[in-house]
Amino acid sequence: MSHDISHPYDFAQGDTPLLISMPHVGTELPQAVREGLIPEALDLRDTDWHLPRLYDFARDMGASLLAARYSRFAIDLNRSSDDKPLYQTATTGLYPDVLFEGTPLFQPGKAPDSTARRAYLEHIWQPYHDRIASELARLKAKFGYAVLFDAHSIKGEIPRLFEGLLPDFNIGTNSGASCPESLSTELAAICDTGNYRHVVNGRFKGGHITRHYGQPDQSICAVQLELAQRTYMREAAPFDYLPEKADQVRAVLKRFVEHLLDFRP
């Protein structure tokens, strides 16, 4: 395929109304991206590490699972194709040019050119969104409604993006537009365990996927969860998965997913 891109995502179809999307777990790099990155970026530090492992229980619960294979350093699947900014504060775009911390992502003059980026849009971004759209349509046709859960994680302290320490659970519903308020309230209650902090529509209100596909009036509800990585892994390279910590947060995540499965709009 053009620009050494193939198999842009992994997908497993379930038998419930729930689709779980993981757009930032990919670690594969097109050649032009790999050759242009600054050395510090080669550890892919802005990846949503280990989420397929963290949520591996969801497959047995009947959810459909969609996971990106290519790194967000090539193209960000949670941004709109017109690259309209998500936030007025600091953020990253459809084609990231800086790390979360603000350091330039590419060596001078070595960012992928417009031809390469068009290929990433056509062969990475578009197939992922085509799969979301087709699966939500299938689920709605079968069950009368569909629920989209966009799963993310992030380092808990990034001064460029947000002040202080990020709460453990950051639920985003496009300020209430992507699902009924009752659902976000119930999900927040699940996260209120005493061991973790949570917020609804705080710094992270949901990215393009949540905002675009969450249409409650069309019987499709969407929720994003930005999970602080300290809850299940080491936030510095080599970004180890920490099973004991992960098992604790997985107990909460299982209840979170169970509630999404039980939800009826």
Side-chain angles (χ1 to χ4, degrees), residues 27 43-45 47-51 153 229 232-233 239:
T27 56
D43 63 10
L44 305 182
R45 59 189 60 186
T47 301
D48 292 10
W49 295 104
H50 308 299
L51 290 189
S153 72
Q229 290 179 339
Y232 70 94
M233 60 170 278
F239 309 112

Side-chain angles (χ1 to χ4, degrees), residues 76-149:
D76 193 328
L77 300 174
N78 203 26
R79 301 294 184 268
S80 63
S81 58
D82 63 6
D83 204 12
K84 183 178 180 180
L86 283 177
Y87 300 101
Q88 298 302 312
T89 53
T91 185
T92 53
L94 179 66
Y95 302 106
D97 56 4
V98 296
L99 293 167
F100 285 166
E101 62 202 41
T103 305
L105 183 58
F106 293 99
Q107 302 171 54
K110 290 193 175 182
D113 62 22
S114 59
T115 300
R117 285 179 164 172
R118 282 195 298 272
Y120 305 158
L121 183 65
E122 179 180 356
H123 298 300
I124 300 175
W125 190 97
Q126 194 63 56
Y128 193 88
H129 284 269
D130 287 346
R131 175 57 74 178
I132 291 178
S134 65
E135 182 62 6
L136 291 176
R138 184 189 74 86
L139 295 176
K140 182 179 174 181
K142 181 174 182 179
F143 298 101
Y145 69 98
V147 180
L148 173 61
F149 174 35

